Amino acid sequence: MTSSRKNNAVWINDEAFGALDLIENQIFSKFNRLMNENEANEIYETGFLAGEPMPYTFVFAPHGKCNQETIKNASKGDHIELINGGKVVGYIEVGEVFKFNAEKSSQNIFRANEAAPAQQSQSGELAVSGEIKIYDDKLAEVRKLIEEVKREQNVRKISAIMLTAEPFNRAHERLIRMTIDSSDLVLLFLLKSHGADEMMSFSLKKSVLEYFIQNYVPKNRLIIVPFENSNLFSSHLNPTLECIAAHRLGAHKLIVGQNHAGIGMFYDHNVAHTVLERYKNDLNLDIVVLPELVYCDECKTLVSTKTCPHGQHHHIKYHAQTLKTLLLAGILPPAILMRRDISAMILSELFPNRFENIQKLCDDLFPSNGLLEKQTEREFYENLMKLYQTTSLT
């Protein structure tokens, strides 16, 4: 006998779950439910819904025979459970069932991740509209925190930065500090890396950012917004969605680098422009494009390519792939590229229990105050970098 749950549930992948979570939390629009056919048609025709810019529709047509059978048999007011990874993660309260417009699939939020494998973004013939409820909603908690901070600190200027932070380096740090200088509050959108590009777990990246905020910048000036469940923003493939998400969470300014993928930067009369400028008026959002940050061996510090008078042959660039190559090989990146404590934090997680006798290594390599102190792998990496930075014999 088939269980009632099987007859009243749809199975969704991580991509769909992430998109549903973002929709419910009004990250893309004040519209926070799955759209019906009329609402979708309005967006296809105008690109707007109720005066809001809407580049994508929220039309949910899950692929698969069982999923489609569930939707076909659903009636208005029914609760369809959402199952992801074998767990019930929420439900949809059914509004109406209608035929999915396959010709407009490219304008569907569930197909917006260009980097997703084709089989992960397939759609069925029938779609369902209705209210969404996601259980254990961490994003809702972050939204509540942002509102509390805005109220308590009388926040006026909010800036947003989108970071994959893989790995978090000195250029990211400088970008954050520059943004804090001109803002009352900074929203750090932490994005997932996509597929083969992922070196670090999302929880490790979040821990690194939390450590940095706790130790090196004013804690009440930054809030991490974790987009843990969605790849929609991975590799900055959807800069339009970045603008909308920043605006929806209250940001007045979005900070991006000139190498940001997808912004379509061009110059007109020696003035930089991007394809995102069309959203300045619709969203009341300033887009600030910062020049590339590098380490100059003549200036002996981190500079922007716009202000440094020395040529590229004097510049050390903060290429994420290069830093990842070093870390994956178990090598500490130079301290001019990454803080030694952050490098140590990452390496100790990537290579747990790497050394057979970490205590003997520490005792043989590092000076002590005469007391025997147990050393962790993280402390080993930090102390090793201190030796690298000793210059009297180099």
Side-chain angles (χ1 to χ4, degrees), residues 107-143:
Q107 292 175 251
N108 187 357
I109 193 66
F110 296 97
R111 299 287 299 273
N113 183 7
E114 299 172 16
Q119 66 270 21
Q120 288 192 22
S121 58
Q122 288 180 314
S123 301
E125 293 184 3
L126 296 177
V128 60
S129 69
E131 302 289 338
I132 306 165
K133 176 61 182 177
I134 299 296
Y135 305 135
D136 190 24
D137 197 342
K138 297 177 183 178
L139 200 50
E141 296 174 5
V142 174
R143 284 183 60 89

PDB file of all heavy atoms in Angstrom, residues 107-143:
ATOM      1  N   GLN A 107      13.026  31.865 -18.487  1.00  0.00           N
ATOM      2  CA  GLN A 107      12.667  32.967 -17.606  1.00  0.00           C
ATOM      3  C   GLN A 107      12.138  32.484 -16.261  1.00  0.00           C
ATOM      4  O   GLN A 107      11.565  33.254 -15.504  1.00  0.00           O
ATOM      5  CB  GLN A 107      11.607  33.850 -18.283  1.00  0.00           C
ATOM      6  CG  GLN A 107      12.120  34.613 -19.488  1.00  0.00           C
ATOM      7  CD  GLN A 107      11.017  35.386 -20.195  1.00  0.00           C
ATOM      8  OE1 GLN A 107      10.590  35.046 -21.294  1.00  0.00           O
ATOM      9  NE2 GLN A 107      10.541  36.434 -19.553  1.00  0.00           N
ATOM     10  N   ASN A 108      12.389  31.231 -15.956  1.00  0.00           N
ATOM     11  CA  ASN A 108      11.922  30.637 -14.709  1.00  0.00           C
ATOM     12  C   ASN A 108      13.051  30.649 -13.685  1.00  0.00           C
ATOM     13  O   ASN A 108      14.185  30.251 -13.997  1.00  0.00           O
ATOM     14  CB  ASN A 108      11.453  29.206 -14.975  1.00  0.00           C
ATOM     15  CG  ASN A 108      10.804  28.564 -13.775  1.00  0.00           C
ATOM     16  OD1 ASN A 108      10.743  29.157 -12.701  1.00  0.00           O
ATOM     17  ND2 ASN A 108      10.328  27.351 -13.954  1.00  0.00           N
ATOM     18  N   ILE A 109      12.778  31.075 -12.447  1.00  0.00           N
ATOM     19  CA  ILE A 109      13.813  31.144 -11.410  1.00  0.00           C
ATOM     20  C   ILE A 109      14.420  29.778 -11.134  1.00  0.00           C
ATOM     21  O   ILE A 109      15.588  29.663 -10.767  1.00  0.00           O
ATOM     22  CB  ILE A 109      13.238  31.741 -10.101  1.00  0.00           C
ATOM     23  CG1 ILE A 109      14.364  32.125  -9.130  1.00  0.00           C
ATOM     24  CG2 ILE A 109      12.258  30.776  -9.434  1.00  0.00           C
ATOM     25  CD1 ILE A 109      15.239  33.235  -9.616  1.00  0.00           C
ATOM     26  N   PHE A 110      13.661  28.711 -11.348  1.00  0.00           N
ATOM     27  CA  PHE A 110      14.171  27.364 -11.112  1.00  0.00           C
ATOM     28  C   PHE A 110      15.077  26.883 -12.251  1.00  0.00           C
ATOM     29  O   PHE A 110      15.666  25.808 -12.157  1.00  0.00           O
ATOM     30  CB  PHE A 110      13.002  26.388 -10.911  1.00  0.00           C
ATOM     31  CG  PHE A 110      12.183  26.691  -9.692  1.00  0.00           C
ATOM     32  CD1 PHE A 110      11.013  27.432  -9.798  1.00  0.00           C
ATOM     33  CD2 PHE A 110      12.589  26.269  -8.443  1.00  0.00           C
ATOM     34  CE1 PHE A 110      10.257  27.735  -8.669  1.00  0.00           C
ATOM     35  CE2 PHE A 110      11.845  26.573  -7.306  1.00  0.00           C
ATOM     36  CZ  PHE A 110      10.673  27.306  -7.423  1.00  0.00           C
ATOM     37  N   ARG A 111      15.184  27.697 -13.302  1.00  0.00           N
ATOM     38  CA  ARG A 111      16.103  27.388 -14.403  1.00  0.00           C
ATOM     39  C   ARG A 111      17.169  28.459 -14.546  1.00  0.00           C
ATOM     40  O   ARG A 111      17.891  28.502 -15.535  1.00  0.00           O
ATOM     41  CB  ARG A 111      15.322  27.296 -15.725  1.00  0.00           C
ATOM     42  CG  ARG A 111      14.259  26.210 -15.772  1.00  0.00           C
ATOM     43  CD  ARG A 111      14.864  24.823 -15.872  1.00  0.00           C
ATOM     44  NE  ARG A 111      15.654  24.662 -17.075  1.00  0.00           N
ATOM     45  CZ  ARG A 111      15.173  24.295 -18.253  1.00  0.00           C
ATOM     46  NH1 ARG A 111      13.889  24.049 -18.383  1.00  0.00           N
ATOM     47  NH2 ARG A 111      15.967  24.153 -19.289  1.00  0.00           N
ATOM     48  N   ALA A 112      17.294  29.331 -13.543  1.00  0.00           N
ATOM     49  CA  ALA A 112      18.171  30.497 -13.671  1.00  0.00           C
ATOM     50  C   ALA A 112      19.639  30.182 -13.434  1.00  0.00           C
ATOM     51  O   ALA A 112      20.500  30.990 -13.778  1.00  0.00           O
ATOM     52  CB  ALA A 112      17.733  31.594 -12.695  1.00  0.00           C
ATOM     53  N   ASN A 113      19.938  29.036 -12.873  1.00  0.00           N
ATOM     54  CA  ASN A 113      21.334  28.687 -12.609  1.00  0.00           C
ATOM     55  C   ASN A 113      21.951  28.066 -13.855  1.00  0.00           C
ATOM     56  O   ASN A 113      21.795  26.888 -14.118  1.00  0.00           O
ATOM     57  CB  ASN A 113      21.444  27.727 -11.426  1.00  0.00           C
ATOM     58  CG  ASN A 113      22.895  27.415 -11.086  1.00  0.00           C
ATOM     59  OD1 ASN A 113      23.819  28.010 -11.640  1.00  0.00           O
ATOM     60  ND2 ASN A 113      23.098  26.494 -10.174  1.00  0.00           N
ATOM     61  N   GLU A 114      22.669  28.887 -14.604  1.00  0.00           N
ATOM     62  CA  GLU A 114      23.249  28.427 -15.871  1.00  0.00           C
ATOM     63  C   GLU A 114      24.310  27.359 -15.678  1.00  0.00           C
ATOM     64  O   GLU A 114      24.633  26.615 -16.594  1.00  0.00           O
ATOM     65  CB  GLU A 114      23.846  29.621 -16.621  1.00  0.00           C
ATOM     66  CG  GLU A 114      22.820  30.692 -16.964  1.00  0.00           C
ATOM     67  CD  GLU A 114      23.480  31.925 -17.536  1.00  0.00           C
ATOM     68  OE1 GLU A 114      24.647  31.840 -17.942  1.00  0.00           O
ATOM     69  OE2 GLU A 114      22.834  32.983 -17.558  1.00  0.00           O
ATOM     70  N   ALA A 115      24.886  27.310 -14.466  1.00  0.00           N
ATOM     71  CA  ALA A 115      25.959  26.353 -14.216  1.00  0.00           C
ATOM     72  C   ALA A 115      25.444  24.987 -13.783  1.00  0.00           C
ATOM     73  O   ALA A 115      26.191  24.035 -13.688  1.00  0.00           O
ATOM     74  CB  ALA A 115      26.907  26.900 -13.144  1.00  0.00           C
ATOM     75  N   ALA A 116      24.143  24.880 -13.509  1.00  0.00           N
ATOM     76  CA  ALA A 116      23.583  23.607 -13.050  1.00  0.00           C
ATOM     77  C   ALA A 116      23.497  22.607 -14.197  1.00  0.00           C
ATOM     78  O   ALA A 116      23.209  22.978 -15.330  1.00  0.00           O
ATOM     79  CB  ALA A 116      22.192  23.835 -12.453  1.00  0.00           C
ATOM     80  N   PRO A 117      23.755  21.319 -13.919  1.00  0.00           N
ATOM     81  CA  PRO A 117      23.584  20.302 -14.958  1.00  0.00           C
ATOM     82  C   PRO A 117      22.151  20.304 -15.477  1.00  0.00           C
ATOM     83  O   PRO A 117      21.212  20.579 -14.732  1.00  0.00           O
ATOM     84  CB  PRO A 117      23.902  18.991 -14.209  1.00  0.00           C
ATOM     85  CG  PRO A 117      24.730  19.400 -13.034  1.00  0.00           C
ATOM     86  CD  PRO A 117      24.238  20.764 -12.652  1.00  0.00           C
ATOM     87  N   ALA A 118      21.979  19.996 -16.752  1.00  0.00           N
ATOM     88  CA  ALA A 118      20.658  20.077 -17.382  1.00  0.00           C
ATOM     89  C   ALA A 118      19.625  19.213 -16.669  1.00  0.00           C
ATOM     90  O   ALA A 118      18.471  19.605 -16.508  1.00  0.00           O
ATOM     91  CB  ALA A 118      20.766  19.648 -18.845  1.00  0.00           C
ATOM     92  N   GLN A 119      20.053  18.027 -16.172  1.00  0.00           N
ATOM     93  CA  GLN A 119      19.091  17.137 -15.539  1.00  0.00           C
ATOM     94  C   GLN A 119      18.577  17.691 -14.207  1.00  0.00           C
ATOM     95  O   GLN A 119      17.537  17.269 -13.712  1.00  0.00           O
ATOM     96  CB  GLN A 119      19.686  15.734 -15.328  1.00  0.00           C
ATOM     97  CG  GLN A 119      20.850  15.673 -14.342  1.00  0.00           C
ATOM     98  CD  GLN A 119      22.183  15.884 -15.017  1.00  0.00           C
ATOM     99  OE1 GLN A 119      22.245  16.451 -16.106  1.00  0.00           O
ATOM    100  NE2 GLN A 119      23.244  15.414 -14.396  1.00  0.00           N
ATOM    101  N   GLN A 120      19.323  18.631 -13.607  1.00  0.00           N
ATOM    102  CA  GLN A 120      18.893  19.202 -12.334  1.00  0.00           C
ATOM    103  C   GLN A 120      17.880  20.314 -12.513  1.00  0.00           C
ATOM    104  O   GLN A 120      17.264  20.764 -11.556  1.00  0.00           O
ATOM    105  CB  GLN A 120      20.098  19.732 -11.552  1.00  0.00           C
ATOM    106  CG  GLN A 120      20.979  18.647 -10.975  1.00  0.00           C
ATOM    107  CD  GLN A 120      21.974  19.206  -9.976  1.00  0.00           C
ATOM    108  OE1 GLN A 120      21.776  20.283  -9.419  1.00  0.00           O
ATOM    109  NE2 GLN A 120      23.047  18.470  -9.737  1.00  0.00           N
ATOM    110  N   SER A 121      17.730  20.828 -13.712  1.00  0.00           N
ATOM    111  CA  SER A 121      16.837  21.962 -13.923  1.00  0.00           C
ATOM    112  C   SER A 121      15.708  21.638 -14.902  1.00  0.00           C
ATOM    113  O   SER A 121      15.132  22.523 -15.505  1.00  0.00           O
ATOM    114  CB  SER A 121      17.641  23.162 -14.435  1.00  0.00           C
ATOM    115  OG  SER A 121      18.318  22.836 -15.627  1.00  0.00           O
ATOM    116  N   GLN A 122      15.396  20.344 -15.056  1.00  0.00           N
ATOM    117  CA  GLN A 122      14.296  19.953 -15.926  1.00  0.00           C
ATOM    118  C   GLN A 122      12.962  20.310 -15.282  1.00  0.00           C
ATOM    119  O   GLN A 122      12.845  20.372 -14.064  1.00  0.00           O
ATOM    120  CB  GLN A 122      14.348  18.451 -16.198  1.00  0.00           C
ATOM    121  CG  GLN A 122      15.493  18.039 -17.119  1.00  0.00           C
ATOM    122  CD  GLN A 122      15.507  16.546 -17.352  1.00  0.00           C
ATOM    123  OE1 GLN A 122      15.376  15.753 -16.427  1.00  0.00           O
ATOM    124  NE2 GLN A 122      15.663  16.146 -18.600  1.00  0.00           N
ATOM    125  N   SER A 123      11.970  20.546 -16.116  1.00  0.00           N
ATOM    126  CA  SER A 123      10.637  20.897 -15.630  1.00  0.00           C
ATOM    127  C   SER A 123       9.613  19.878 -16.115  1.00  0.00           C
ATOM    128  O   SER A 123       9.771  19.261 -17.161  1.00  0.00           O
ATOM    129  CB  SER A 123      10.244  22.293 -16.122  1.00  0.00           C
ATOM    130  OG  SER A 123      11.160  23.266 -15.672  1.00  0.00           O
ATOM    131  N   GLY A 124       8.534  19.730 -15.331  1.00  0.00           N
ATOM    132  CA  GLY A 124       7.439  18.856 -15.726  1.00  0.00           C
ATOM    133  C   GLY A 124       6.404  19.612 -16.535  1.00  0.00           C
ATOM    134  O   GLY A 124       6.546  20.811 -16.795  1.00  0.00           O
ATOM    135  N   GLU A 125       5.340  18.942 -16.933  1.00  0.00           N
ATOM    136  CA  GLU A 125       4.298  19.554 -17.766  1.00  0.00           C
ATOM    137  C   GLU A 125       3.335  20.410 -16.946  1.00  0.00           C
ATOM    138  O   GLU A 125       2.785  21.381 -17.441  1.00  0.00           O
ATOM    139  CB  GLU A 125       3.521  18.472 -18.510  1.00  0.00           C
ATOM    140  CG  GLU A 125       4.341  17.735 -19.555  1.00  0.00           C
ATOM    141  CD  GLU A 125       3.493  16.739 -20.325  1.00  0.00           C
ATOM    142  OE1 GLU A 125       2.265  16.686 -20.065  1.00  0.00           O
ATOM    143  OE2 GLU A 125       4.049  16.021 -21.171  1.00  0.00           O
ATOM    144  N   LEU A 126       3.133  20.047 -15.664  1.00  0.00           N
ATOM    145  CA  LEU A 126       2.195  20.771 -14.817  1.00  0.00           C
ATOM    146  C   LEU A 126       2.924  21.553 -13.743  1.00  0.00           C
ATOM    147  O   LEU A 126       3.934  21.094 -13.189  1.00  0.00           O
ATOM    148  CB  LEU A 126       1.207  19.793 -14.155  1.00  0.00           C
ATOM    149  CG  LEU A 126       0.268  19.030 -15.075  1.00  0.00           C
ATOM    150  CD1 LEU A 126      -0.570  18.060 -14.266  1.00  0.00           C
ATOM    151  CD2 LEU A 126      -0.624  19.987 -15.866  1.00  0.00           C
ATOM    152  N   ALA A 127       2.420  22.746 -13.451  1.00  0.00           N
ATOM    153  CA  ALA A 127       2.978  23.600 -12.408  1.00  0.00           C
ATOM    154  C   ALA A 127       1.929  23.820 -11.323  1.00  0.00           C
ATOM    155  O   ALA A 127       0.723  23.678 -11.562  1.00  0.00           O
ATOM    156  CB  ALA A 127       3.414  24.936 -12.998  1.00  0.00           C
ATOM    157  N   VAL A 128       2.409  24.184 -10.138  1.00  0.00           N
ATOM    158  CA  VAL A 128       1.505  24.437  -9.023  1.00  0.00           C
ATOM    159  C   VAL A 128       1.847  25.798  -8.407  1.00  0.00           C
ATOM    160  O   VAL A 128       3.012  26.147  -8.252  1.00  0.00           O
ATOM    161  CB  VAL A 128       1.601  23.317  -7.955  1.00  0.00           C
ATOM    162  CG1 VAL A 128       3.006  23.205  -7.387  1.00  0.00           C
ATOM    163  CG2 VAL A 128       0.593  23.553  -6.834  1.00  0.00           C
ATOM    164  N   SER A 129       0.816  26.572  -8.091  1.00  0.00           N
ATOM    165  CA  SER A 129       1.018  27.848  -7.411  1.00  0.00           C
ATOM    166  C   SER A 129       0.624  27.703  -5.949  1.00  0.00           C
ATOM    167  O   SER A 129      -0.008  26.714  -5.567  1.00  0.00           O
ATOM    168  CB  SER A 129       0.177  28.949  -8.062  1.00  0.00           C
ATOM    169  OG  SER A 129      -1.207  28.735  -7.810  1.00  0.00           O
ATOM    170  N   GLY A 130       0.991  28.696  -5.127  1.00  0.00           N
ATOM    171  CA  GLY A 130       0.560  28.659  -3.730  1.00  0.00           C
ATOM    172  C   GLY A 130       1.593  29.171  -2.759  1.00  0.00           C
ATOM    173  O   GLY A 130       2.722  29.527  -3.133  1.00  0.00           O
ATOM    174  N   GLU A 131       1.200  29.223  -1.482  1.00  0.00           N
ATOM    175  CA  GLU A 131       2.069  29.684  -0.409  1.00  0.00           C
ATOM    176  C   GLU A 131       3.149  28.646  -0.119  1.00  0.00           C
ATOM    177  O   GLU A 131       2.922  27.438  -0.252  1.00  0.00           O
ATOM    178  CB  GLU A 131       1.255  29.948   0.861  1.00  0.00           C
ATOM    179  CG  GLU A 131       0.134  30.963   0.696  1.00  0.00           C
ATOM    180  CD  GLU A 131       0.645  32.378   0.517  1.00  0.00           C
ATOM    181  OE1 GLU A 131       1.795  32.641   0.928  1.00  0.00           O
ATOM    182  OE2 GLU A 131      -0.103  33.215  -0.021  1.00  0.00           O
ATOM    183  N   ILE A 132       4.329  29.133   0.317  1.00  0.00           N
ATOM    184  CA  ILE A 132       5.461  28.255   0.645  1.00  0.00           C
ATOM    185  C   ILE A 132       5.752  28.357   2.137  1.00  0.00           C
ATOM    186  O   ILE A 132       5.716  29.446   2.711  1.00  0.00           O
ATOM    187  CB  ILE A 132       6.730  28.674  -0.131  1.00  0.00           C
ATOM    188  CG1 ILE A 132       6.472  28.737  -1.627  1.00  0.00           C
ATOM    189  CG2 ILE A 132       7.896  27.740   0.189  1.00  0.00           C
ATOM    190  CD1 ILE A 132       7.557  29.468  -2.385  1.00  0.00           C
ATOM    191  N   LYS A 133       6.070  27.233   2.748  1.00  0.00           N
ATOM    192  CA  LYS A 133       6.549  27.225   4.124  1.00  0.00           C
ATOM    193  C   LYS A 133       7.774  26.339   4.206  1.00  0.00           C
ATOM    194  O   LYS A 133       7.733  25.153   3.879  1.00  0.00           O
ATOM    195  CB  LYS A 133       5.466  26.699   5.080  1.00  0.00           C
ATOM    196  CG  LYS A 133       5.935  26.562   6.522  1.00  0.00           C
ATOM    197  CD  LYS A 133       6.372  27.899   7.114  1.00  0.00           C
ATOM    198  CE  LYS A 133       6.874  27.722   8.545  1.00  0.00           C
ATOM    199  NZ  LYS A 133       7.381  29.005   9.102  1.00  0.00           N
ATOM    200  N   ILE A 134       8.920  26.944   4.607  1.00  0.00           N
ATOM    201  CA  ILE A 134      10.163  26.198   4.783  1.00  0.00           C
ATOM    202  C   ILE A 134      10.438  26.077   6.274  1.00  0.00           C
ATOM    203  O   ILE A 134      10.429  27.076   7.002  1.00  0.00           O
ATOM    204  CB  ILE A 134      11.343  26.903   4.086  1.00  0.00           C
ATOM    205  CG1 ILE A 134      11.091  27.023   2.579  1.00  0.00           C
ATOM    206  CG2 ILE A 134      12.649  26.142   4.353  1.00  0.00           C
ATOM    207  CD1 ILE A 134      10.993  25.721   1.837  1.00  0.00           C
ATOM    208  N   TYR A 135      10.697  24.856   6.745  1.00  0.00           N
ATOM    209  CA  TYR A 135      11.025  24.641   8.162  1.00  0.00           C
ATOM    210  C   TYR A 135      12.499  24.995   8.404  1.00  0.00           C
ATOM    211  O   TYR A 135      13.313  25.041   7.477  1.00  0.00           O
ATOM    212  CB  TYR A 135      10.797  23.188   8.550  1.00  0.00           C
ATOM    213  CG  TYR A 135       9.398  22.674   8.258  1.00  0.00           C
ATOM    214  CD1 TYR A 135       9.202  21.430   7.670  1.00  0.00           C
ATOM    215  CD2 TYR A 135       8.275  23.426   8.585  1.00  0.00           C
ATOM    216  CE1 TYR A 135       7.919  20.940   7.413  1.00  0.00           C
ATOM    217  CE2 TYR A 135       6.987  22.955   8.328  1.00  0.00           C
ATOM    218  CZ  TYR A 135       6.820  21.729   7.737  1.00  0.00           C
ATOM    219  OH  TYR A 135       5.556  21.258   7.475  1.00  0.00           O
ATOM    220  N   ASP A 136      12.853  25.220   9.664  1.00  0.00           N
ATOM    221  CA  ASP A 136      14.247  25.481  10.056  1.00  0.00           C
ATOM    222  C   ASP A 136      14.873  26.529   9.147  1.00  0.00           C
ATOM    223  O   ASP A 136      15.918  26.313   8.519  1.00  0.00           O
ATOM    224  CB  ASP A 136      15.063  24.185  10.008  1.00  0.00           C
ATOM    225  CG  ASP A 136      16.445  24.333  10.641  1.00  0.00           C
ATOM    226  OD1 ASP A 136      16.609  25.231  11.489  1.00  0.00           O
ATOM    227  OD2 ASP A 136      17.355  23.559  10.272  1.00  0.00           O
ATOM    228  N   ASP A 137      14.236  27.682   9.084  1.00  0.00           N
ATOM    229  CA  ASP A 137      14.598  28.719   8.121  1.00  0.00           C
ATOM    230  C   ASP A 137      15.632  29.693   8.713  1.00  0.00           C
ATOM    231  O   ASP A 137      15.289  30.646   9.409  1.00  0.00           O
ATOM    232  CB  ASP A 137      13.341  29.477   7.687  1.00  0.00           C
ATOM    233  CG  ASP A 137      13.565  30.262   6.405  1.00  0.00           C
ATOM    234  OD1 ASP A 137      14.734  30.485   6.058  1.00  0.00           O
ATOM    235  OD2 ASP A 137      12.574  30.656   5.772  1.00  0.00           O
ATOM    236  N   LYS A 138      16.911  29.437   8.439  1.00  0.00           N
ATOM    237  CA  LYS A 138      17.979  30.280   8.967  1.00  0.00           C
ATOM    238  C   LYS A 138      17.994  31.663   8.314  1.00  0.00           C
ATOM    239  O   LYS A 138      18.381  32.652   8.931  1.00  0.00           O
ATOM    240  CB  LYS A 138      19.334  29.594   8.765  1.00  0.00           C
ATOM    241  CG  LYS A 138      19.458  28.283   9.524  1.00  0.00           C
ATOM    242  CD  LYS A 138      20.777  27.595   9.244  1.00  0.00           C
ATOM    243  CE  LYS A 138      20.854  26.254   9.962  1.00  0.00           C
ATOM    244  NZ  LYS A 138      22.119  25.529   9.653  1.00  0.00           N
ATOM    245  N   LEU A 139      17.568  31.705   7.061  1.00  0.00           N
ATOM    246  CA  LEU A 139      17.551  32.983   6.351  1.00  0.00           C
ATOM    247  C   LEU A 139      16.547  33.945   6.981  1.00  0.00           C
ATOM    248  O   LEU A 139      16.780  35.157   7.047  1.00  0.00           O
ATOM    249  CB  LEU A 139      17.220  32.751   4.877  1.00  0.00           C
ATOM    250  CG  LEU A 139      17.600  33.830   3.868  1.00  0.00           C
ATOM    251  CD1 LEU A 139      19.041  34.273   4.023  1.00  0.00           C
ATOM    252  CD2 LEU A 139      17.345  33.337   2.463  1.00  0.00           C
ATOM    253  N   ALA A 140      15.438  33.415   7.461  1.00  0.00           N
ATOM    254  CA  ALA A 140      14.439  34.250   8.134  1.00  0.00           C
ATOM    255  C   ALA A 140      15.024  34.860   9.402  1.00  0.00           C
ATOM    256  O   ALA A 140      14.727  36.018   9.752  1.00  0.00           O
ATOM    257  CB  ALA A 140      13.198  33.426   8.465  1.00  0.00           C
ATOM    258  N   GLU A 141      15.870  34.102  10.098  1.00  0.00           N
ATOM    259  CA  GLU A 141      16.511  34.610  11.313  1.00  0.00           C
ATOM    260  C   GLU A 141      17.460  35.766  10.988  1.00  0.00           C
ATOM    261  O   GLU A 141      17.548  36.737  11.740  1.00  0.00           O
ATOM    262  CB  GLU A 141      17.267  33.479  12.008  1.00  0.00           C
ATOM    263  CG  GLU A 141      16.368  32.353  12.514  1.00  0.00           C
ATOM    264  CD  GLU A 141      17.158  31.188  13.060  1.00  0.00           C
ATOM    265  OE1 GLU A 141      18.396  31.289  13.142  1.00  0.00           O
ATOM    266  OE2 GLU A 141      16.540  30.163  13.408  1.00  0.00           O
ATOM    267  N   VAL A 142      18.165  35.655   9.868  1.00  0.00           N
ATOM    268  CA  VAL A 142      19.075  36.728   9.459  1.00  0.00           C
ATOM    269  C   VAL A 142      18.290  37.985   9.106  1.00  0.00           C
ATOM    270  O   VAL A 142      18.678  39.104   9.469  1.00  0.00           O
ATOM    271  CB  VAL A 142      19.948  36.277   8.262  1.00  0.00           C
ATOM    272  CG1 VAL A 142      20.782  37.441   7.737  1.00  0.00           C
ATOM    273  CG2 VAL A 142      20.854  35.128   8.676  1.00  0.00           C
ATOM    274  N   ARG A 143      17.187  37.841   8.403  1.00  0.00           N
ATOM    275  CA  ARG A 143      16.341  38.994   8.071  1.00  0.00           C
ATOM    276  C   ARG A 143      15.870  39.700   9.343  1.00  0.00           C
ATOM    277  O   ARG A 143      15.867  40.937   9.419  1.00  0.00           O
ATOM    278  CB  ARG A 143      15.126  38.540   7.251  1.00  0.00           C
ATOM    279  CG  ARG A 143      15.418  38.213   5.805  1.00  0.00           C
ATOM    280  CD  ARG A 143      14.129  37.849   5.069  1.00  0.00           C
ATOM    281  NE  ARG A 143      13.182  38.960   5.105  1.00  0.00           N
ATOM    282  CZ  ARG A 143      13.136  39.926   4.195  1.00  0.00           C
ATOM    283  NH1 ARG A 143      13.978  39.913   3.168  1.00  0.00           N
ATOM    284  NH2 ARG A 143      12.254  40.889   4.282  1.00  0.00           N
TER     285      ARG A 143
END
